Amino acid sequence: MEERLKPMDAEQLRESAHRMVDFIADYYKSIESFPVLSQVEPGYLRKLLPDSAPDHPESLQQVLEDVQAKILPGVTHWQSPNYFAYYPSNSSIAGFMGEMLSAGLNIVGFSWITSPAATELEIIVLDWLAKLLNLPDDFLSTGPGGGVIQGTASEAVLVVLLAARDKFLSRIGKSSLNKLVVYSSDQTHSALQKACQIGGIYPENCRVLKTDASTNYALSPDLLNEVISQDISTGLVPFLLCATVGTTSSTAVDPLPALATIAKRNGMWFHIDAAYAGSACICPEYRPYIDGVEEADSFNMNAHKWFLTNFDCSALWIKDRKALIQALSTNPEFLKNKASQANMVVDYRDWQIPLGRRFRSLKLWMVLRLYGVQNLQQYIRNHIELARQFEDLVSQDPKFEVVTPRIFSLVCFRLLSPDNDGDKGNKLNRDLLDTVNSTGKIFISHTVLSGTYILRFAIGAPLTEERHVNEAWKVLQDEASKLLATIQNN
Amino acid sequence: MEERLKPMDAEQLRESAHRMVDFIADYYKSIESFPVLSQVEPGYLRKLLPDSAPDHPESLQQVLEDVQAKILPGVTHWQSPNYFAYYPSNSSIAGFMGEMLSAGLNIVGFSWITSPAATELEIIVLDWLAKLLNLPDDFLSTGPGGGVIQGTASEAVLVVLLAARDKFLSRIGKSSLNKLVVYSSDQTHSALQKACQIGGIYPENCRVLKTDASTNYALSPDLLNEVISQDISTGLVPFLLCATVGTTSSTAVDPLPALATIAKRNGMWFHIDAAYAGSACICPEYRPYIDGVEEADSFNMNAHKWFLTNFDCSALWIKDRKALIQALSTNPEFLKNKASQANMVVDYRDWQIPLGRRFRSLKLWMVLRLYGVQNLQQYIRNHIELARQFEDLVSQDPKFEVVTPRIFSLVCFRLLSPDNDGDKGNKLNRDLLDTVNSTGKIFISHTVLSGTYILRFAIGAPLTEERHVNEAWKVLQDEASKLLATIQNN
């Protein structure tokens, strides 16, 4: 007779988990040996794995060997010091400790009662972070507002949009959904468009206002005013303005104070997406970039991007938590309990899309405690300094140009086309991106601004040091020279 | 000069993580010593923690001491063998290994290119699981359908509702949103109501059909037919039918084949929520409960409930993935890449609400490989056998009654009121729930069926053995006797 499975034996857990720790630590020791961007072909893994689950157990050794041989080649190494694509997604020892503990306890914190510590630590830690960012007191849990950890900025902007939508519809009637208008710039993250789709906002009522180099790709208050006036004159109802501090393409910063005034005058919900750049605002010298947040209805930053907190951890603060709860609460019998019914507690399930939720505050708490504020500030400053150095390197090479002024730790640049032809220049930079990423030495990504294809070099991986930036620049120069030589030979 | 922070030093990671492993293994060794339901008062933690984040680093030792002294008392121990509330939320060594590796790699798998292994392993493992459940081939990735891991069943039903909504609206026009009608029973999970709120379905068009003991709280096809006919006659458009296999209150099983016929005849999207009971259907003897899934458009089960996969991991299969992608895709420039543009790959960001996503397939893959199918079947069977034994215990005690026939591993029961008074009986059971949970020895939850307050005893924690069930029954009997004595003395 086979012995009964012991899926949670403490000593077996200890033994297996120690092995996994060594596996992961060894991974970090060797992380620079992998191609940063995975070089596999679509469908590679299907050829390496069986068609169905095994009937009988396999050993941890077998599984770890498969991770090494079959999974890791298909991994794009976001934690590599040579990762400069998109925006960073920080892992840290503290964040990893928090993930381990959260997975170890494996609670489901939908209501306060299902683990009071999960709810209360989240409240406390988001108050800590709000104070670090010098957010207005209205965002603290002690008033009618408060903070909550969402999975991602997409979910943050979605719940905000739903709260704003339902607040307006409760006033003008749900049949007026077709009148609600959302405002943002063409640099706003696509998550807003997705939130509009989900919330049923009419596509023709999503105002995506054009930006250009004259405002460094920030939203123009004049244009916004103009469009809002037009909309009001045709009977539409402006209800949500989404501003960004640190856009995904180029870290543009929308002019919050001017936008806040417009939002207020028109009675709109004003949301600020600082998913990437919010982290920098714990440094006093970068805090002015969110001046105007005092007038916002909601504010979001991703601790999982550039704040050493493992994915996922997106911090959202809101001034009127009732609006959120109004839009997202249900109250089924099977979840009723004394503490909730007596309104003595926060039940975060009513602040988010899903019912279930992980104990995510642990990792943010550990990051703040194990590193401390001064180290975190230094961490941010170091990346920004490295980006400044990279910007200098690019500026000094006449073959390249820096396209938008660097603000935080992203440099937008391009290789100049020898014949000054826009289309050829775009192709040249697309080719440079492909060849550089194909080397496996570094991974960068791109964007398009005013029709021009641009390379993005985003510094922010926890292991990145000056030497990695310098070597990356050498890879870019080398591949650029090769490309230019090919062109000149044709 | 202070040394620069090394947030991801491999050897520091190794040392810290080994300590955390021991902390977690020790937690599991002592897990029975904690009150299952946390006994803290609202606001307890605020008194124990400082008001702001520390300027300077604290040691891991300090943090772990705080976890022990301040956090654990506020934890409700979902992994305790004496946890019988709601539904289980399984942790396992394999699941924990997967969580560790996922947090260690810390990739963000929104597009195939951002870690091909994450997308491809998810496709493969959901095909494995679909085969285990004997789902129709239409749900496999090889056709026009496929599987995807959502965070929770709430997100699964939301994306399904959005796909169905937009499919219908593209036909009848978005201004006809007010005509769309959703059908479910009053036993359907509140996640559907929440999805309706989010998707803007008119509350008056959400048909919550009454169930009662005559169908064992399953949805009546006759009633459904009747209501649909009425709706059609008033010009409304039935678009979504949500059936449940294993309802949250009492594990009721809706009659899938009859419902499928009705859905098909009326051209509706047919979704099956088997969040809890789906796991049991890997055993051939329980598979008949999802007969009829062949005709469903989408099917969902939570591997994080009763399938040894740590939270969160909700498996959703869909027959027409295009409908999902249509509703949820955006295509911003900064995410474009060759593989995606060439339609050679799956980009799961278009199958879900958020953009970012964790490498969740690792944990499901590890569960399937490290345990094997036969062990997983035995694991399920053991819990169901324990539930059968508990049901026997309740039946043999004339002071109690089993309220609904037990199907899986949940027993719905109640203490009988000595004077046969409904209101008093409800109060009696509410009091029993409170006193039992206040002992800290076990944690159970409740529901209300046809106005009657009922106790739920859900078996499914990985550490639960026969002795825990017997001891739990003794706690229930003892507390019941005390309560009854108090009543008789008054």
Side-chain angles (χ1 to χ4, degrees):
Chain A
M1 190 186 141
E2 212 176 332
E3 208 190 337
R4 176 157 294 164
L5 180 72
K6 287 185 177 171
M8 236 334 166
D9 178 84
E11 294 312 320
Q12 281 180 33
L13 169 69
R14 194 188 308 270
E15 190 195 325
S16 298
H18 278 309
R19 289 186 61 186
M20 185 59 91
V21 166
D22 286 326
F23 186 91
I24 293 170
D26 291 344
Y27 166 70
Y28 276 94
K29 272 188 102 157
S30 63
I31 196 165
E32 295 191 46
S33 68
F34 298 97
V36 187
L37 174 66
S38 170
Q39 305 288 320
V40 299
E41 294 295 317
Y44 90 101
L45 193 57
R46 176 79 72 180
K47 297 169 195 149
L48 303 176
L49 294 183
D51 278 342
S52 56
D55 273 342
H56 298 284
E58 300 179 73
S59 71
L60 182 57
Q61 184 61 30
Q62 285 173 304
V63 172
L64 290 179
E65 281 168 12
D66 271 4
V67 171
Q68 194 74 42
K70 299 171 184 173
I71 301 298
L72 288 187
V75 168
T76 292
H77 301 276
W78 286 66
Q79 302 314 317
S80 164
N82 300 311
Y83 179 96
F84 303 103
Y86 310 112
Y87 276 133
S89 174
N90 283 184
S91 181
S92 70
I93 299 172
F96 184 68
M97 294 296 97
E99 284 284 2
M100 282 180 75
L101 187 55
S102 171
L105 297 174
N106 202 45
I107 62 101
V108 188
F110 46 78
S111 305
W112 178 86
I113 193 181
T114 66
S115 264
T119 298
E120 298 200 5
L121 188 63
E122 188 160 329
I123 293 173
I124 292 166
V125 172
L126 287 195
D127 278 354
W128 285 9
L129 191 49
K131 288 175 192 170
L132 269 188
L133 291 165
N134 200 12
L135 297 186
D137 286 352
D138 301 348
F139 284 131
L140 298 180
S141 66
T142 38
V148 58
I149 298 177
Q150 303 284 331
T152 61
S154 322
E155 288 153 280
V157 75
L158 173 59
V159 299
V160 160
L161 178 135
L162 296 171
R165 180 196 71 179
D166 288 2
K167 200 170 176 175
F168 274 74
L169 290 184
S170 74
R171 202 186 304 148
I172 63 176
K174 61 183 184 289
S175 64
S176 295
L177 179 62
N178 61 334
K179 294 194 178 139
L180 295 184
V181 188
V182 178
Y183 301 83
S184 69
S185 89
D186 58 3
Q187 300 301 310
T188 305
H189 194 278
S190 55
L192 179 66
Q193 182 200 328
K194 189 157 178 170
C196 289
Q197 289 171 208
I198 293 167
I201 306 303
Y202 280 34
E204 62 268 32
N205 290 352
C206 298
R207 302 276 169 267
V208 178
L209 305 178
K210 213 167 155 354
T211 60
D212 60 31
S214 73
T215 60
N216 192 20
Y217 298 96
L219 181 55
S220 150
D222 290 344
L223 178 58
L224 176 66
N225 256 327
E226 201 179 298
V227 174
I228 290 178
S229 300
Q230 276 171 9
D231 286 334
I232 292 175
S233 72
T234 60
L236 294 174
V237 179
F239 89 105
L240 177 64
L241 169 61
C242 179
T244 309
V245 175
T247 58
T248 308
S249 278
S250 67
T251 70
V253 177
D254 289 335
L256 304 186
L259 298 179
T261 305
I262 297 172
K264 204 167 197 177
R265 191 167 57 231
N266 292 284
M268 301 163 72
W269 187 294
F270 182 37
H271 176 66
I272 298 173
D273 169 4
Y276 156 71
S279 298
C281 301
I282 65 162
C283 302
E285 67 271 34
Y286 299 109
R287 175 57 179 76
Y289 285 112
I290 56 168
D291 282 354
V293 65
E294 299 70 29
E295 302 300 326
D297 295 288
S298 46
F299 178 84
N300 172 232
M301 71 82 95
N302 283 350
H304 63 238
K305 277 197 163 65
W306 192 17
F307 204 69
L308 292 171
T309 311
N310 290 46
F311 187 84
D312 49 356
C313 187
S314 179
L316 170 68
W317 291 269
I318 192 159
K319 274 190 187 159
D320 175 13
R321 62 177 179 252
K322 269 193 196 148
L324 205 56
I325 294 168
Q326 186 68 32
L328 295 170
S329 76
T330 58
N331 194 19
E333 182 62 40
F334 55 84
L335 296 182
K336 288 182 182 164
N337 64 82
K338 278 186 173 175
S340 298
Q341 299 299 101
N343 272 318
M344 293 165 69
V345 294
V346 168
D347 286 326
Y348 272 130
R349 63 187 165 95
D350 296 334
W351 298 47
Q352 63 172 19
I353 301 296
L355 172 60
R357 61 202 320 271
R358 295 162 67 100
F359 199 159
R360 284 187 291 221
S361 53
L362 281 174
K363 55 187 170 185
L364 186 53
W365 184 55
M366 291 204 179
V367 164
L368 289 165
R369 290 193 63 180
L370 292 175
Y371 298 142
V373 175
Q374 294 193 7
N375 270 322
L376 291 164
Q377 290 171 332
Q378 190 208 33
Y379 175 74
I380 295 282
R381 286 174 182 139
N382 179 47
H383 285 149
I384 296 180
E385 172 59 21
L386 291 179
R388 199 192 56 67
Q389 291 175 24
F390 183 82
E391 182 189 27
D392 281 350
L393 293 172
V394 177
S395 311
Q396 286 156 20
D397 186 332
K399 294 196 297 298
F400 287 87
E401 70 169 348
V402 174
V403 179
T404 57
R406 182 202 51 74
I407 305 177
F408 302 103
S409 70
L410 170 74
V411 180
C412 288
F413 69 108
R414 64 197 307 263
L415 178 59
L416 293 167
S417 171
D419 47 10
N420 215 6
D421 174 312
D423 284 348
K424 283 188 186 161
N426 286 351
K427 185 180 178 312
L428 182 66
N429 281 281
R430 251 197 314 271
D431 289 347
L432 180 56
L433 179 101
D434 284 342
T435 54
V436 159
N437 287 342
S438 297
T439 66
K441 292 176 188 166
I442 63 172
F443 179 29
I444 61 170
S445 62
H446 81 284
T447 191
V448 169
L449 290 173
S450 303
T452 301
Y453 191 97
I454 286 157
L455 304 178
R456 294 172 73 268
F457 191 84
I459 295 174
L463 289 168
T464 302
E465 297 175 12
E466 191 173 346
R467 67 181 169 94
H468 301 105
V469 173
N470 291 334
E471 283 161 27
W473 173 237
K474 184 141 191 334
V475 172
L476 280 158
Q477 281 186 312
D478 288 353
E479 295 301 322
S481 298
K482 283 189 225 165
L483 266 182
L484 291 173
T486 322
I487 290 173
Q488 272 148 8
N489 291 341
N490 281 348
Chain B
M1 189 184 142
E2 211 175 334
E3 208 190 338
R4 178 156 291 166
L5 180 72
K6 288 185 176 172
M8 234 338 166
D9 177 83
E11 294 311 322
Q12 281 179 32
L13 169 69
R14 195 187 308 270
E15 189 195 326
S16 298
H18 278 310
R19 290 185 62 185
M20 185 59 92
V21 167
D22 285 326
F23 186 90
I24 293 170
D26 290 344
Y27 166 70
Y28 276 94
K29 272 189 102 156
S30 64
I31 196 166
E32 295 192 45
S33 68
F34 298 97
V36 187
L37 174 66
S38 170
Q39 305 287 320
V40 300
E41 293 296 318
Y44 90 101
L45 193 57
R46 175 80 71 179
K47 297 168 195 150
L48 303 175
L49 294 183
D51 277 344
S52 56
D55 274 340
H56 298 284
E58 300 180 73
S59 71
L60 183 56
Q61 184 62 29
Q62 285 172 304
V63 173
L64 289 179
E65 280 169 13
D66 272 4
V67 171
Q68 194 73 42
K70 299 172 184 172
I71 301 296
L72 288 187
V75 167
T76 292
H77 301 276
W78 287 66
Q79 302 314 317
S80 165
N82 299 312
Y83 179 97
F84 304 103
Y86 310 111
Y87 277 132
S89 174
N90 284 183
S91 181
S92 71
I93 299 171
F96 184 67
M97 295 297 98
E99 285 284 3
M100 282 179 75
L101 187 54
S102 170
L105 297 174
N106 202 44
I107 61 101
V108 187
F110 45 79
S111 305
W112 178 85
I113 193 180
T114 65
S115 264
T119 297
E120 298 201 7
L121 188 64
E122 187 160 329
I123 294 172
I124 291 166
V125 171
L126 287 194
D127 278 354
W128 285 10
L129 191 50
K131 288 175 191 170
L132 268 187
L133 291 165
N134 199 12
L135 296 186
D137 287 351
D138 302 347
F139 284 132
L140 298 180
S141 65
T142 39
V148 58
I149 297 177
Q150 303 283 333
T152 61
S154 321
E155 288 153 279
V157 76
L158 173 58
V159 299
V160 159
L161 179 134
L162 296 171
R165 180 195 72 179
D166 288 1
K167 201 170 176 175
F168 274 74
L169 291 184
S170 74
R171 202 187 305 149
I172 63 175
K174 62 182 184 289
S175 63
S176 295
L177 179 63
N178 62 334
K179 294 195 178 138
L180 295 184
V181 188
V182 178
Y183 301 83
S184 68
S185 88
D186 57 4
Q187 300 301 308
T188 304
H189 195 278
S190 54
L192 179 65
Q193 183 202 326
K194 189 158 178 170
C196 289
Q197 289 171 209
I198 293 167
I201 307 303
Y202 279 34
E204 62 268 32
N205 291 353
C206 298
R207 302 278 169 265
V208 177
L209 304 177
K210 211 168 157 350
T211 61
D212 61 31
S214 73
T215 60
N216 192 21
Y217 298 95
L219 181 55
S220 152
D222 290 344
L223 178 58
L224 176 65
N225 256 327
E226 203 178 296
V227 175
I228 289 178
S229 300
Q230 277 173 8
D231 285 336
I232 291 174
S233 73
T234 59
L236 294 174
V237 180
F239 89 105
L240 176 64
L241 170 60
C242 179
T244 309
V245 175
T247 58
T248 308
S249 278
S250 68
T251 71
V253 176
D254 289 335
L256 303 186
L259 298 180
T261 306
I262 297 172
K264 204 166 197 177
R265 192 167 57 230
N266 292 284
M268 300 162 72
W269 187 294
F270 183 37
H271 176 67
I272 298 174
D273 169 4
Y276 157 71
S279 298
C281 300
I282 64 161
C283 303
E285 66 272 33
Y286 298 109
R287 174 58 178 77
Y289 286 112
I290 56 169
D291 281 355
V293 65
E294 299 70 28
E295 302 300 328
D297 296 288
S298 47
F299 177 85
N300 173 233
M301 71 82 94
N302 283 351
H304 63 237
K305 277 197 163 66
W306 193 18
F307 204 69
L308 292 171
T309 311
N310 288 47
F311 187 83
D312 49 356
C313 187
S314 179
L316 171 68
W317 291 270
I318 192 159
K319 276 191 186 159
D320 175 13
R321 62 177 178 251
K322 270 194 196 146
L324 206 55
I325 294 168
Q326 186 67 34
L328 295 171
S329 76
T330 57
N331 193 19
E333 182 62 40
F334 54 84
L335 296 181
K336 287 181 184 166
N337 64 83
K338 279 186 174 174
S340 298
Q341 300 299 98
N343 270 319
M344 294 165 70
V345 294
V346 168
D347 286 326
Y348 271 130
R349 64 187 163 94
D350 296 334
W351 298 48
Q352 64 173 18
I353 301 297
L355 171 60
R357 62 202 320 269
R358 296 162 67 97
F359 199 160
R360 284 186 290 221
S361 53
L362 281 173
K363 54 187 171 185
L364 187 52
W365 183 55
M366 292 207 177
V367 165
L368 289 165
R369 291 192 63 180
L370 292 175
Y371 298 142
V373 176
Q374 293 194 8
N375 269 324
L376 290 165
Q377 290 171 332
Q378 190 209 33
Y379 175 74
I380 295 283
R381 286 175 181 136
N382 178 46
H383 285 149
I384 295 179
E385 171 59 22
L386 291 178
R388 199 194 54 69
Q389 290 175 24
F390 183 83
E391 182 190 28
D392 282 351
L393 292 172
V394 177
S395 311
Q396 286 156 21
D397 187 331
K399 294 196 296 296
F400 287 86
E401 71 170 350
V402 173
V403 179
T404 56
R406 182 201 51 74
I407 305 176
F408 302 104
S409 70
L410 169 74
V411 180
C412 289
F413 69 108
R414 63 197 308 264
L415 179 58
L416 294 166
S417 171
D419 46 9
N420 216 6
D421 174 312
D423 285 346
K424 283 188 186 162
N426 285 351
K427 182 180 181 311
L428 183 66
N429 281 279
R430 251 197 314 270
D431 289 347
L432 181 56
L433 180 102
D434 285 341
T435 55
V436 159
N437 288 343
S438 297
T439 66
K441 292 176 187 166
I442 62 172
F443 178 29
I444 61 170
S445 62
H446 81 283
T447 191
V448 170
L449 290 173
S450 303
T452 300
Y453 191 97
I454 286 157
L455 304 177
R456 295 172 73 267
F457 191 84
I459 295 174
L463 290 167
T464 302
E465 296 175 13
E466 191 173 345
R467 66 182 169 95
H468 301 106
V469 173
N470 291 334
E471 284 161 27
W473 174 237
K474 185 141 188 337
V475 171
L476 280 158
Q477 281 187 311
D478 287 353
E479 296 301 324
S481 298
K482 283 189 224 166
L483 267 183
L484 291 174
T486 321
I487 291 171
Q488 273 149 8
N489 291 341
N490 283 349

